[in-house]
Amino acid sequence: MDLARHLRYFLVVADELHFGRAAELLGMAQPPLSQSIQRLERELGVPLFDRSHRRVELTVAGSLLIDEARRMLAAEERLRTVMRKARAGDLGTLRAGVPPDLSAPVLHALLSRIDAEIPGLTVDLLELTTAEQLRMLDTSSLDVGMVDHPIGRPDLQHGSGVELPLGVVLPRTSPLARSAEIELADLTGHDLVLFPRETAPDWHDLLLERCREHGFAPARIRHARNPEFLLGLVLAGHGVALDQESTARREPRVTWRPLAGRPLRRHLSMVWPSTGTHPAATRFAELATRVVAGDMARTPLAAPGAAAPWSVVYTPHLRN
């Protein structure tokens, strides 16, 4: 029995106290309306209308049912609204992974945008490497993640991507800092401070391959898992780093110089499972990508008087 439908019919009849007018308002014939009310009375076990006189009157049970019916129908509408919002990704909890090097301003901007645009959504933001995110996506312990490409995972859905040009992070006192831009081959003899291979194996290997192709074979590779450790090693003279300009903003004693020809670009995009997708995954992915792209597109730390050496590239639906 569709109780909600029968209660809606009942309320119209109760307001009109006339089956003909009620049927007209409901856009239906009178016999089906009468049958609906009779079925409701059988279901509840009480008469709702007194039909013994010329005019239809509410019984005591019918009068008591009016408020209860309105409360029940309002509760049903609230339930349906909540379910619609959940289906649209406006409610619930989303478990999202982001890279450990995402800066505090980016995290603040991202969480602020979520609160403003999807206030009913709770985002459980986790600081995870690409490899960690992929493992958690495989075990369904993560709903969406921001990863470094390539990843070689055609089983995952990919959102829009951001391409971040990499340059050289080095001490301001370095002779190379006097150059407006640097050739990769100019770094010959320097150690390289780089993220550990296990955090993003494919991206790690690709970056080193591009370095070798352009004449730079690092004398030694020193690993840094977070930007602060990377900057500490660079300041101590233990190597140079190949990173985006935003990393250099964290430490005034280092600087960033673009690479000639822009041979290195970091590719980031949001990914999520192809099946069992969280309703909020695609919306969050687009919002997060735009926030990251907007932050990385700030004026770069180029040499004084030099033109802006690069721009962030926003690519819809970046693939492997």
Side-chain angles (χ1 to χ4, degrees), residues 14-303:
D15 285 341
E16 295 298 321
L17 292 177
H18 192 283
F19 278 84
R21 288 195 300 269
E24 186 176 345
L25 287 173
L26 290 167
M28 62 188 300
Q30 183 174 330
L33 175 60
S34 297
Q35 292 167 11
S36 174
I37 298 301
Q38 290 167 6
R39 184 172 181 183
L40 180 61
E41 289 174 326
R42 288 196 301 271
E43 183 71 21
L44 298 178
V46 289
L48 301 174
F49 295 99
D50 184 353
R51 306 170 181 81
S52 61
H53 306 290
R54 269 191 176 179
R55 48 182 310 213
V56 176
E57 296 180 350
L58 284 162
T59 63
V60 172
S63 297
L64 293 172
L65 181 60
I66 291 175
D67 288 342
E68 296 297 330
R70 286 173 178 160
R71 278 195 288 269
M72 179 177 173
L73 292 174
E76 183 201 33
E77 184 55 34
R78 286 195 298 272
L79 184 149
R80 291 184 183 278
T81 298
V82 168
M83 293 300 101
R84 281 196 299 271
K85 289 183 176 181
R87 187 168 59 249
D90 292 334
L91 293 176
T93 298
L94 178 77
R95 301 162 300 175
V98 295
D101 61 347
L102 213 60
S103 68
V106 174
L107 288 172
H108 176 262
L110 176 57
L111 292 173
S112 297
R113 288 281 297 276
I114 293 167
D115 288 342
E117 297 186 21
I118 324 175
L121 181 69
T122 299
V123 177
D124 185 4
L125 213 56
L126 304 174
E127 182 187 42
L128 300 165
T129 67
T130 290
E132 289 169 337
Q133 292 184 56
L134 294 177
R135 285 195 294 270
M136 292 181 69
L137 285 167
D138 285 342
T139 60
S140 300
S141 49
L142 195 69
D143 299 310
V144 62
M146 178 177 286
V147 301
D148 281 291
H149 290 261
I151 57 172
R153 291 291 303 273
D155 57 310
L156 295 175
Q157 293 289 319
H158 296 219
S160 301
V162 180
E163 294 183 1
L164 309 173
L166 301 188
V168 185
V169 180
L170 68 168
R172 288 188 177 274
T173 56
S174 170
L176 288 172
R178 293 194 289 268
S179 302
E181 60 181 21
I182 296 172
E183 298 276 354
L184 270 173
D186 295 339
L187 302 178
T188 299
H190 286 77
D191 292 348
L192 178 63
V193 183
L194 187 63
F195 57 90
R197 184 180 186 277
E198 63 267 19
T199 63
D202 292 340
W203 170 222
H204 180 280
D205 294 348
L206 179 61
L207 189 150
L208 289 179
E209 180 184 338
R210 295 283 167 79
C211 286
R212 288 190 294 268
E213 289 174 354
H214 289 80
F216 174 42
R220 178 182 176 184
I221 295 177
R222 299 176 183 270
H223 290 136
R225 290 181 176 272
N226 63 71
E228 285 70 28
F229 193 67
L230 178 149
L231 293 170
L233 291 177
V234 170
L235 279 173
H238 289 180
V240 297
L242 296 171
D243 215 318
Q244 59 252 23
E245 178 268 341
S246 59
T247 299
R249 295 194 210 119
R250 305 180 186 215
E251 170 53 62
R253 291 170 291 177
V254 305
T255 190
W256 182 91
R257 292 293 178 263
L259 288 166
R262 323 299 180 246
L264 296 177
R265 286 181 176 270
R266 181 184 182 185
H267 298 255
L268 284 170
S269 88
M270 304 297 295
V271 297
W272 58 90
S274 298
T275 58
T277 302
H278 190 287
T282 55
R283 189 173 178 187
F284 173 84
E286 190 67 16
L287 189 154
T289 304
R290 290 188 180 279
V291 168
V292 171
D295 176 79
M296 299 304 180
R298 293 180 186 176
T299 303
L301 295 173

